[in-house]
Amino acid sequence: MKRTPPSCPMEALLRLITGPWTIYILWVLSEHGPQRFGALKRAVPGISTRVMTERLRMLERAGVVWRKQAQTIPPAVTYGLTPRGTELRSVLDSLGAIAHRWQAEGAFKDAGMAAE
Amino acid sequence: MKRTPPSCPMEALLRLITGPWTIYILWVLSEHGPQRFGALKRAVPGISTRVMTERLRMLERAGVVWRKQAQTIPPAVTYGLTPRGTELRSVLDSLGAIAHRWQAEGAFKDAGMAAE
DNA sequence: TTCGTTGGTTACTTTTAAGTGCCTACTATT
DNA sequence: AATAGTAGGCACTTAAAAGTAACCAACGAA
């Protein structure tokens, strides 16, 4: 995927929240509160460790989630939503409302990607 | 990209509006009104015919854009936003506002994808 | 008569992201 | 003493999306 011309800051935001699991992770964090890595992974069934780590790092760099590492001996790392993450969630909620309505209207029933 | 578990209707919507050029196309259509294929392609510099066609078809199947083909001899096909497209735009606008603010705050300055 | 325009389609190639499995280091448990 | 759990890192493989390019059909213009 070549880079889209960077005129639109939306692109950066969409690249941030897009990707198979990102919304899921944010949703779990906002519904169930801060979680440790393992619990988060268990709450998002099917995700690989690799992608989970990558997504969390990405969201952390953007200031959407925080990461708190306890230096205990089995290391305990907890993730949660920052204020920015909460702010994002409110918009995602309204986007979700549209998504829900469109699904009820059948907008997605045959609107998959071209090459699946 | 394996399919994300389909529990979340957001996934379908995000898969619809995601992809390098989709938002651009919607933005051009909403800013400059209905456009013919060629004009649209010229307004989104760098996009390939293939991807432009695929995106328009996808958006059309979801009822976000309409397509009107005049059976003239050089065929003239015009695309525009449906009411559903306009509805989507309002949410994208607020998402865009967040994106703009975050950019000003520097949220994206080092928050690229992992493997770029 | 051949070229260019319009709106694509199709095939081939490349790029990129995601999946999978194996590794750590230390400790508590069995 | 061997094993499982914790939070990943690293390398290798695979699958999907995007890019590239060639082609089409019909007609008007040069």
Side-chain angles (χ1 to χ4, degrees), chain A residues 11-59:
Chain A
E11 282 292 335
L13 180 53
L14 284 171
R15 278 221 305 280
L16 182 73
I17 65 178
T18 294
W21 308 99
T22 315
I23 298 294
Y24 246 74
I25 298 171
L26 293 176
W27 180 75
V28 168
L29 285 179
S30 75
E31 291 292 310
H32 304 298
Q35 304 274 316
R36 291 184 49 186
F37 187 91
L40 205 49
K41 186 156 151 30
R42 262 170 264 126
V44 183
I47 197 173
S48 67
T49 307
R50 187 189 170 309
V51 170
M52 177 64 90
T53 304
E54 180 193 320
R55 291 294 191 275
L56 288 172
R57 294 268 192 273
M58 187 175 68
L59 294 170

Side-chain angles (χ1 to χ4, degrees), chain B residues 12-103:
Chain B
L13 180 53
L14 283 171
R15 278 222 303 279
L16 182 73
I17 65 179
T18 293
W21 308 99
T22 316
I23 298 293
Y24 246 75
I25 297 170
L26 293 175
W27 180 76
V28 168
L29 286 178
S30 78
E31 291 291 309
H32 304 298
Q35 303 274 316
R36 291 183 49 186
F37 186 92
L40 205 49
K41 187 156 151 26
R42 261 169 265 128
V44 183
I47 196 174
S48 68
T49 307
R50 189 188 169 307
V51 172
M52 177 64 89
T53 304
E54 181 194 316
R55 291 295 192 274
L56 287 172
R57 294 267 192 274
M58 188 177 67
L59 294 170
E60 189 197 358
R61 278 200 305 274
V64 173
V65 305
W66 48 260
R67 182 190 128 107
K68 191 167 55 181
Q69 177 164 16
Q71 280 300 349
T72 56
I73 278 310
V77 181
T78 308
Y79 295 91
L81 286 189
T82 63
R84 192 174 278 174
T86 309
E87 175 185 18
L88 183 62
R89 190 175 100 92
S90 69
V91 185
L92 291 184
D93 277 349
S94 53
L95 201 64
I98 287 191
H100 198 73
R101 184 171 44 215
W102 288 15
Q103 194 182 45

